[in-house]
Structure formats: structure tokens, C-alpha cells
Amino acid sequence: MAIDVTMPQMGESVVEGTIAKWLVKEGDVVIEDQPLVEISTDKVDTEIPSPGAGRIAKIVAEEGQTLPVGATLAVIEPAGSEAPAKLKVVAPKAAPKPELAPAQVRTMPPPQPAPLPQPIQAAGAGLREAESDEGGPRRFSPVVLKIAAEEGIDLSHVPGTGIGGRVSKRDLQRYLDALRKGGGTPSVAAQPQTNGSAQSSSRPAAPATAQAPVQSGPGFKPPVYQPIEGDIVEPFTRRRKLIAEHMVFSKTHSPHVGTVAEVDVTNAMRLREQHKTEFARREGFNLTFLPLAAAATVRALKEFPRMNASVVGDSVVTRREINLGIAMDTDEGLLVPVIKAAEGMSVVGIARAIETLRRKVAEKKITADDLAGGSFTLSNPGREGNLYGFAIINQPQVGILRMGEVKKRPVVVEVDGADALAIRTMMYLALSYDHRVVDGVLGNSFLYRAARILEEADFEL
């Protein structure tokens, strides 16, 4: 009996994946759990193993094609079977999208609010079908249906960039952004992609100009450098593109405010020095300063829960769990795996969780679930030459704490009521926070408390 190889669900927020590279070809004999294909998503890259043994009868999806969760990628027949496989293609191949010059960007008339088309049939994992203006089926995810219902948007008017014209959350956001700016409906190539939550659009949209292209700014266009002989041109990887989009979105949507605290970590470094040998023998890995900083961050978040929040539309949601993201560098770019429910962990538990995530990143075994759900982020860019700096907030969080270089230097201290110079181990902590929901008093109070907890170093190792 033939076995379908399908696009798996790779995280709660992942609805589609792109075929990066096939590791087998038609006619190859494979065994169960043998890697068949490399898949790239907006969260992580991974390999899909074979669900059974047999012969690759047909490869349905081509490299570079993006397919929804549940779509058929290939068909495996039992070894020795000569019967041709009957394929059921879940999603059609997307037609190539022409690159349009600014003057060629098409616009469509703005839609009038209309009732959302009723879903007529489940199709794939978490996707639904509805009739388009042309009568053909279009695919909508539950989140798109929910946002469209809240905003009163008729999805049949929204241009989609997904397979078969499927409308993604980003497509709907671009559409809403265009309406709020008073422009026409954007084409699929007209607006930069963002992943923000749609806000209220109860006010009527301004009428569109017939052939005017949608513009996102006052018309300024930066000069474009033309490479010359000897330059090295390195195209963005998929991960670098996603990082760039996320960073630009965060800076344009969250008003960032930065504040810095000077921290005397002498006691914390002494504690680490006293326990590092026994810790390494007991746990099997070295004790670094990072778990101590993470533990101090978690304790401060418990005392100031509004820093452990997310912006959802016109509301701020204080998170019940503290899911601490730990920024980690890789050859392909930054990743932020998440320690789930860190509020219930000891310092040793946090250290174990960080080590587990570090190994998964190093071995390229990190999953989409490992990267999802963060509520606050701690960043450690490195030990050398890093006095302090302000990191960009990891959306949809409202704050990120960045560690500076740990360095010994002379500091004025008070000894028996008199000032004295002493050699202390010092560090700067820099907090970036979202001024839409975090005021200066809250941001400074949180940072001060995190610094004091770290200075006291009252940790059980």
C-alpha cells in the first residue's frame, strides 16, 4: 500500500513550509526514518524522515515550492511494487510571480465591508476553503478567518501570495495597512511583509486613486550601491531575510526606549568560581555566568509582571508563564530558543535548560516549538569589546535585556562609612522596552531590581 509523505505540523504557529532540498530522487529505495527532504519554515529549518520503507514512486513537490501543512510531498510504494501510485495533490503549485516595477504595481478598488464567506469544507491541517470572486476555492487559515471577521473584511477581495492564491496573515495585514493609509488595495508585490496584529478598522477607508501606486513613505528612495569588480555579493539566506523583516517591523511598530544599569557582579562571579568544579562534575557541563543572569531576570519579572507581557491589538496581555528567550548566535544568524515556564525553575534548572537548548542549536536539532512562545528575552552578545548596547525587542514581547562585558575595574565603595577605591567585577545591563505599554518608572524599576538581585547573588547551586 502506498504511503504519502506530507508536510508535517512543525509548531503551533507554522502553517506552511518551503521545499529547500530533496535528499532522494524518484526510484530510490528508502528505509523508515531516512531523511527525505529539507524543509524551511519561518521558524526553523528541518529534515522530514521517511514514514516507512519502500521505493520513491513519485516526488510531487518541487524545490522552492511552498506548501501548507498536510500537503502531499511524495509517494512511497512498497519495494518491488510495479503499480503506479495514484496521487492526490493537496495544493497546486504556485504560479511564478512577476517582479513589477513601481510604476507597474497594480491597485484594486477598496472593498466594502461584507460578511465573511462561510467555510464550506475542511482542507488540510487547520485550513478552510471558501469561494473566491471567480468561483474557485481559496484557502484560509483559522487566524486569517478570525482577523477578517473582527475587521469586517471580505476575503474574496484580498490578494493572496500563498499556494493557489491563499491569503496569509501577512497578506491580510498589508491589505489593512493600505486601507488605513487611505490608499488602494495593494498588489502582492506592493508592500513589505509584516507579521503584526491587525488593529481596529471601524473607521471608513479613504477612496483610492485609480492608477496611483501605494506608497509607504514620503517618496524618498535611498541610493542603491552598484557592486564593482572585487566586491563580494552574498545573497540573504532565508533566515537572514526573516531576521531582517522582524527587526524592521519591531523598530517601526514599537517605540523603543533604552536604559542602562551598572552592576557589581563581584559576588556572583565569586559564587560561580566556588561552585564551578563541583557543578561540572555533577552536571556534566560548565557553569557560566549566563544562568545567574537569567535567574535574576526571571525573579525580577515575577516582581514586575507587566514586563512579561505582549501587545495584542489595542490591548496588553500580561503573560501567566515566564517563557524566557535566550539569544544564541549561529553560522546562519541569530536564534532565540525559549525556556518554557522558567518561573518555576531553580538556577540549576535554568542552567540545564540553557545547556539543552545550546546543544540542540549546535547540532542543528532545534525545533519550531523550541523557538515559539517567548515572553521576554535575554541577550548576551559576547564578552569582548561589548560595553553595552540596546537590542531590538523580539515581537510581540515588550522588553529585552542585553548583557555587557564583565570586566574588573576600580570602583568607589564605602568601607566603614568612608569612601575607598576597590577592584570590583562590573557589568552593564541595558534594557530596551516598548514605550506603548511600559513607562519609564516601570522600566527603570525592573532594571534596578534585576541588577540588585544579580549583585546580591543569593543563588542556590
Side-chain angles (χ1 to χ4, degrees), residues 154-177:
D154 183 353
L155 288 175
S156 65
H157 294 291
V158 181
T161 60
I163 298 300
R166 183 168 64 82
V167 176
S168 68
K169 181 180 177 182
R170 291 178 177 176
D171 295 331
L172 186 53
Q173 180 61 48
R174 292 199 301 272
Y175 183 85
L176 290 169
D177 289 344

Side-chain angles (χ1 to χ4, degrees), residues 7-11 13-19 39-44 65-71 125 127 139 161-163 166-171 193 238:
M7 182 72 71
Q9 181 74 48
M10 292 173 286
S13 62
V14 178
V15 297
E16 63 186 12
T18 301
I19 306 299
I39 300 296
S40 178
T41 74
D42 60 352
K43 295 290 186 182
V44 70
Q65 188 174 357
T66 300
L67 298 171
V69 170
L127 296 175
R139 302 169 66 84
T161 60
I163 298 300
R166 183 168 64 82
V167 176
S168 68
K169 181 180 177 182
R170 291 178 177 176
D171 295 331
Q193 292 186 353
R238 175 179 172 80

Side-chain angles (χ1 to χ4, degrees), residues 368-431:
D369 285 335
D370 293 325
L371 302 173
S375 60
F376 191 88
T377 298
L378 178 64
S379 177
N380 181 24
R383 296 177 296 175
E384 298 178 354
N386 169 36
L387 184 61
Y388 70 85
F390 295 107
I392 297 177
I393 298 170
N394 191 12
Q395 297 295 324
Q397 300 165 26
V398 299
I400 181 170
L401 195 59
R402 188 182 190 272
M403 301 164 57
E405 179 181 7
V406 177
K407 191 172 184 179
K408 289 184 178 181
R409 56 186 176 86
V411 176
V412 176
V413 298
E414 187 174 310
V415 179
D416 298 329
D419 292 339
L421 279 177
I423 303 299
R424 308 293 288 180
T425 306
M426 305 298 292
M427 182 186 73
Y428 289 104
L429 279 178
L431 172 68

Side-chain angles (χ1 to χ4, degrees), residues 236-309:
F236 277 5
T237 63
R238 175 179 172 80
R239 181 177 298 174
R240 178 53 58 187
K241 288 180 182 178
L242 292 172
I243 291 173
E245 290 176 4
H246 188 174
M247 296 299 97
V248 171
F249 176 87
S250 184
K251 289 292 286 186
T252 56
H253 283 69
S254 294
H256 284 55
V257 177
T259 184
V260 183
E262 187 177 50
V263 189
D264 185 343
V265 296
T266 304
N267 293 334
M269 296 304 288
R270 285 175 180 169
L271 181 68
R272 172 183 174 271
E273 190 67 26
Q274 292 169 2
H275 292 273
K276 68 177 185 179
T277 301
E278 171 61 22
F279 185 93
R281 184 192 63 79
R282 184 181 74 238
E283 301 294 334
F285 60 91
N286 293 329
L287 175 63
T288 67
F289 181 71
L290 182 58
L292 303 181
T297 303
V298 170
R299 289 187 189 179
L301 288 171
K302 288 182 181 180
E303 298 181 21
F304 297 91
R306 193 175 175 85
M307 293 298 303
N308 189 61

Side-chain angles (χ1 to χ4, degrees), residues 68-149:
V69 170
T72 299
L73 307 182
V75 176
I76 300 176
E77 288 184 344
S81 173
E82 300 298 331
K86 295 182 179 180
L87 304 181
K88 179 182 179 182
V89 180
V90 176
K93 178 181 177 183
K97 296 178 290 184
E99 294 186 2
L100 302 178
Q104 297 175 309
V105 174
R106 62 183 177 88
T107 62
M108 298 170 58
Q112 298 300 320
L116 186 68
Q118 294 295 321
I120 60 174
Q121 181 180 359
L127 296 175
R128 299 178 183 177
E129 291 186 355
E131 290 296 320
S132 67
D133 288 338
E134 291 77 17
R138 299 185 72 190
R139 302 169 66 84
F140 305 115
S141 67
V143 67
V144 168
L145 292 171
K146 180 177 182 294
I147 295 174

Side-chain angles (χ1 to χ4, degrees), residues 311-356:
V311 174
V312 180
D314 292 330
S315 302
V316 56
V317 179
T318 301
R319 308 278 289 269
R320 176 172 58 88
E321 293 185 336
I322 297 176
N323 296 334
L324 185 64
I326 304 292
M328 297 183 182
D329 188 36
T330 73
D331 293 339
E332 299 178 8
L334 188 71
L335 287 179
V336 186
V338 178
I339 303 174
K340 305 294 176 60
E343 73 278 1
M345 293 184 180
S346 64
V347 177
V348 175
I350 290 175
R352 290 170 180 164
I354 291 175
E355 177 64 14
T356 298

